[in-house]
């Protein structure tokens, strides 16, 4: 009988305050199982990077890759934070110094073919000759990948394509899935030859895994709150006789020496690298989630000018602090950490009126938001540019709104993902402007003042 240990992390999102402890834990586990001559594999299932953290932002994620190297990861797949939140050139060089494999079967170059740093799958041999076939898949945000110069294909089609060679070459099949729990359950139900699915994307955690058919699904939540561990027992015929999953809670993992110093070092190193002068303000730019300020006005103005639209709107909760004196690149990251892009939509006057009416809802400003790229807490009030309200009327650039006229509206992309303005926006064409984030537009606007 052979025992194989598979450790896995997912959706870490650059929460490097958890890394020293998890790094120490994984290194100890690796040493322990090696001493027992048991097999040890370590995988990350995507979204390990997130550009809210100054170290990740300053290194465009390559600093995170050094961390994975230091722990001896076997392989990773990419998540949407790697895939669509980095400019093409930065993703293309993200893994230049990786000491592990990047496995992803549904990411291609725009002209076809896999990037040099990607393999669809790989076979790993254990000491006794057990062949473990590992394949990776990521969420299919085809339009966004296309805008960045990549092609992302349907993950299920790619899985069907590559399962045939995997069946022939491997005794055990493992899927690294940055697709979400629902897709993982469907895959397990329809592809029983997959022994293990390591999941991600929807931030779910499965304390003892989930068995669907013959497949064991594992997932370790988000932000490093858990580390996953699967144990497979394989007989001499290379059949899996037993498999089980557990999670280790971060809070129950022993603290390493100098944990706080290591955490501070990540932050300060990133902050130092982002100490790039942008401007010196003659007067402060103030933040208030529940009142319009000169800072929220400035961001909304920048959004409209960048997008060259008739009007624009933002939510004040996007800004998490004020600016004064010298402004650096780090300052803009601190007050606008979201990986949110500008978006342009064409709307009739009637549709605009429905949206503006909804933005005035009394409860909306205090709504707490998680996900959608938003890294703040509350939505905040809406701030407008090229739009004003007077005597019960809506004016676009000082002209009364016409119900049948077509207007262009610039807004943060988070409002276009189906959770807001559901009566109007879901079926509209969205023109996403990538790779710039909102803080890049703010920087552009401030630099014009120099």
């Amino acid at each position: 009988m052979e025992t194989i240990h598979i450790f896995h992390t997912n959706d870490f999102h650059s929460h490097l305050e958890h890394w020293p402890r998890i790094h120490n834990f994984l290194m100890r586990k690796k040493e322990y199982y090696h001493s027992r001559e048991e097999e040890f594999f370590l995988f990350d299932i995507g979204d390990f990077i997130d550009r809210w953290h100054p170290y990740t932002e300053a290194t465009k994620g390559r600093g995170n890759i050094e961390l994975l190297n230091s722990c001896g990861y076997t392989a990773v797949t990419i998540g949407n934070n790697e895939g669509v939140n980095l400019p093409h050139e930065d993703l293309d060089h993200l893994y230049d110094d990786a000491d592990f494999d990047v496995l992803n079967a549904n990411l291609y170059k725009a002209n076809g073919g896999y990037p040099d740093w990607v393999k669809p799958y790989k076979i790993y041999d254990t000491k006794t000759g057990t062949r473990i076939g590992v394949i990776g898949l990521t969420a299919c945000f085809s339009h966004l990948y296309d805008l960045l110069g990549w092609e992302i294909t349907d993950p299920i089609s790619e899985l069907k394509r590559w399962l045939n060679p995997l069946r022939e070459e491997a005794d055990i099949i493992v899927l690294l899935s940055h697709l979400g729990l629902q897709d993982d359950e469907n895959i397990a139900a329809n592809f029983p030859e997959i022994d293990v699915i390591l999941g991600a994307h929807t931030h779910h955690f499965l304390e003892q895994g989930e068995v669907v058919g013959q497949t064991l699904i594992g997932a370790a939540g988000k932000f490093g709150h858990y580390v996953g561990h699967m144990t497979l027992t394989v007989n001499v015929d290379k059949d899996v006789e037993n498999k089980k999953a557990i999670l280790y809670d971060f809070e129950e993992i022993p603290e390493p020496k100098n944990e706080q110093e290591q955490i501070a070092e990540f932050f300060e190193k990133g902050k130092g690298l982002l100490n790039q002068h942008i401007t010196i303000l003659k007067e402060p730019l103030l933040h208030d989630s529940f009142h319009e300020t000169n800072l929220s006005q400035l961001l909304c103005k920048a959004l409209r000018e960048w997008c060259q639209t008739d009007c624009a709107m933002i939510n004040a909760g996007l800004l998490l602090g004020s600016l004064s004196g010298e402004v650096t690149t780090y300052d803009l990251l601190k007050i606008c950490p979201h990986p949110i892009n500008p978006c342009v939509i064409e709307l009739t006057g009637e549709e605009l009126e429905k949206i503006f009416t909804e933005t005035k809802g009394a409860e909306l400003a205090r709504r707490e938001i998680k996900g959608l790229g938003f890294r703040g807490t509350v939505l905040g009030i809406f701030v407008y540019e090229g739009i004003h309200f007077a005597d019960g009327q809506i004016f676009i650039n000082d002209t009364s709104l016409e119900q049948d006229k077509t207007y262009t509206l610039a807004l943060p992309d988070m409002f276009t993902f189906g959770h807001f303005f559901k009566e109007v926006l879901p079926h509209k064409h969205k023109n996403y402007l990538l790779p710039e984030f909102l803080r890049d537009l703010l920087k552009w606007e401030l630099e014009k003042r120099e």
Side-chain angles (χ1 to χ4, degrees):
M1 301 293 283
E2 179 182 29
T3 303
I4 298 170
H5 299 277
I6 298 174
F7 282 76
H8 55 103
T9 55
N10 61 271
D11 296 288
F12 208 82
H13 285 278
S14 289
H15 277 267
L16 303 186
E17 70 274 14
H18 293 156
W19 181 250
R21 193 178 304 190
I22 286 175
H23 173 273
N24 188 63
F25 170 77
L26 288 172
M27 296 302 285
R28 287 177 177 272
K29 287 293 182 181
K30 178 186 289 189
E31 182 181 1
Y32 173 72
Y33 289 118
H34 281 175
S35 73
R36 293 168 58 95
E37 297 188 350
E38 295 178 352
E39 296 290 337
F40 180 95
F41 294 90
L42 176 56
F43 300 107
D44 185 77
I45 324 300
D47 280 2
F48 187 73
I49 77 167
D50 193 315
R51 290 175 57 187
W52 73 269
H53 194 287
Y55 186 58
T56 303
E57 174 73 341
T59 64
K60 292 298 186 286
R62 293 181 70 166
N64 294 61
I65 303 310
E66 293 176 11
L67 303 182
L68 292 171
N69 283 342
S70 72
C71 223
Y73 273 73
T74 309
V76 307
T77 196
I78 72 165
N80 44 288
N81 268 263
E82 288 88 7
V84 299
N85 286 340
L86 287 170
H88 184 283
E89 188 73 5
D90 290 313
L91 176 56
D92 206 26
H93 291 285
L94 177 64
Y95 299 102
D96 280 359
D97 299 319
D99 296 332
F100 48 82
D101 297 307
V102 181
L103 306 178
N104 202 285
N106 65 321
L107 174 70
Y108 292 86
K109 295 183 289 187
N111 60 356
Y114 289 110
D116 295 339
W117 42 272
V118 167
K119 302 179 183 75
Y121 72 91
K122 184 168 178 178
I123 307 298
Y124 298 93
D125 295 315
T126 70
K127 295 182 188 72
T128 67
T130 302
R131 301 168 302 168
I132 303 175
V134 184
I135 182 170
L137 296 169
T138 197
C140 186
F141 295 109
S142 54
H143 182 56
L144 299 180
Y145 277 96
D146 182 62
L147 290 171
L148 289 165
W150 303 103
E151 181 186 356
I152 200 85
T153 56
D154 175 64
I156 305 304
S157 298
E158 295 290 350
L159 183 62
K160 290 176 180 176
R161 173 188 174 190
W162 293 108
L163 271 179
N164 284 330
L166 274 168
R167 287 190 199 101
E168 294 177 5
E169 298 175 37
D171 303 304
I172 298 169
I173 297 176
V174 176
L175 170 61
L176 313 182
S177 167
H178 198 89
L179 301 176
L181 180 57
Q182 185 175 352
D183 281 359
D184 292 349
E185 290 171 337
N186 290 336
I187 289 170
N190 289 291
F191 301 95
E193 59 268 56
I194 298 175
D195 296 280
V196 166
I197 298 175
L198 305 178
H201 188 49
T202 44
H203 296 181
H204 53 289
F205 64 96
L206 304 170
E207 289 189 72
Q208 294 182 311
E210 177 185 350
V211 177
V212 176
Q214 300 173 50
T215 304
L216 178 60
I217 303 173
K222 63 178 181 178
F223 302 169
H225 291 158
Y226 299 97
V227 174
H229 177 194
M230 286 192 175
T231 306
L232 310 184
T233 306
V234 182
N235 65 25
V236 292
D237 296 321
K238 306 305 182 186
D239 297 322
V240 179
E241 287 205 352
N242 185 47
K243 45 191 171 184
K244 64 178 183 179
I246 59 172
L247 291 179
Y248 299 98
D249 189 325
F250 173 84
E251 298 295 339
E252 296 174 6
I253 295 173
E255 293 182 28
K257 292 180 180 179
N258 305 320
E259 181 179 45
Q260 294 307 315
E261 289 87 342
Q262 292 180 61
I263 294 166
E265 186 179 350
F266 291 137
F267 192 88
E268 291 302 323
K269 187 173 182 180
K271 183 178 177 181
L273 291 169
L274 294 174
N275 189 30
Q276 301 154 9
H277 172 86
I278 294 173
T279 191
I280 296 177
L281 298 175
K282 295 178 181 177
E283 60 180 32
L285 292 171
L286 302 176
H287 152 71
D288 188 328
S289 292
F290 303 109
H291 297 88
E292 187 171 327
T293 68
N294 54 355
L295 180 55
S296 57
Q297 289 170 340
L298 184 74
L299 178 56
C300 199
K301 177 176 180 287
L303 177 62
R304 182 190 174 195
E305 289 180 356
W306 180 269
C307 296
Q308 298 182 330
T309 53
D310 296 314
C311 52
M313 71 179 194
I314 66 165
N315 57 301
L318 283 168
L319 294 160
L320 308 184
S322 303
L323 297 172
S324 61
E326 183 183 20
V327 178
T328 67
T329 305
Y330 168 74
D331 294 324
L332 296 190
L333 175 68
K334 184 178 178 181
I335 69 162
C336 196
H338 330 281
I340 291 176
N341 307 104
C343 182
V344 177
I345 300 181
E346 288 190 358
L347 299 163
T348 65
E350 181 182 7
E351 290 167 335
L352 270 181
E353 185 173 6
K354 288 179 180 177
I355 287 175
F356 296 151
T357 300
E358 193 170 336
T359 65
K360 297 293 185 180
E363 299 301 317
L364 194 59
R366 297 192 178 275
R367 180 172 163 183
E368 293 187 2
I369 305 296
K370 291 183 179 179
L372 309 177
F374 188 66
R375 303 292 184 256
T377 51
V378 296
L379 194 65
I381 65 159
F382 280 83
V383 177
Y384 313 93
E385 176 71 17
I387 305 161
H388 74 270
F389 307 87
D391 301 324
Q393 293 189 71
I394 301 170
F395 293 85
I396 307 294
N397 300 315
D398 300 320
T399 302
S400 183
L401 181 77
E402 298 178 35
Q403 294 286 301
D404 297 327
K405 184 177 176 179
T406 299
Y407 298 90
T408 51
L409 172 69
L411 72 171
D413 67 9
M414 63 180 280
F415 295 116
T416 69
F417 299 143
H419 298 268
F420 297 90
F421 314 117
K422 296 177 183 178
E423 187 178 347
V424 176
L425 292 188
H427 307 295
K428 286 290 180 179
H429 174 74
K430 291 93 176 175
N431 181 20
Y432 298 105
L433 304 183
L434 275 64
E436 289 79 14
F437 293 156
L438 294 181
R439 60 177 172 271
D440 297 315
L441 276 58
L442 191 55
K443 178 181 178 182
W444 171 71
E445 189 70 28
L446 289 169
E447 285 177 336
K448 293 194 297 186
R449 296 181 164 203
E450 274 285 86

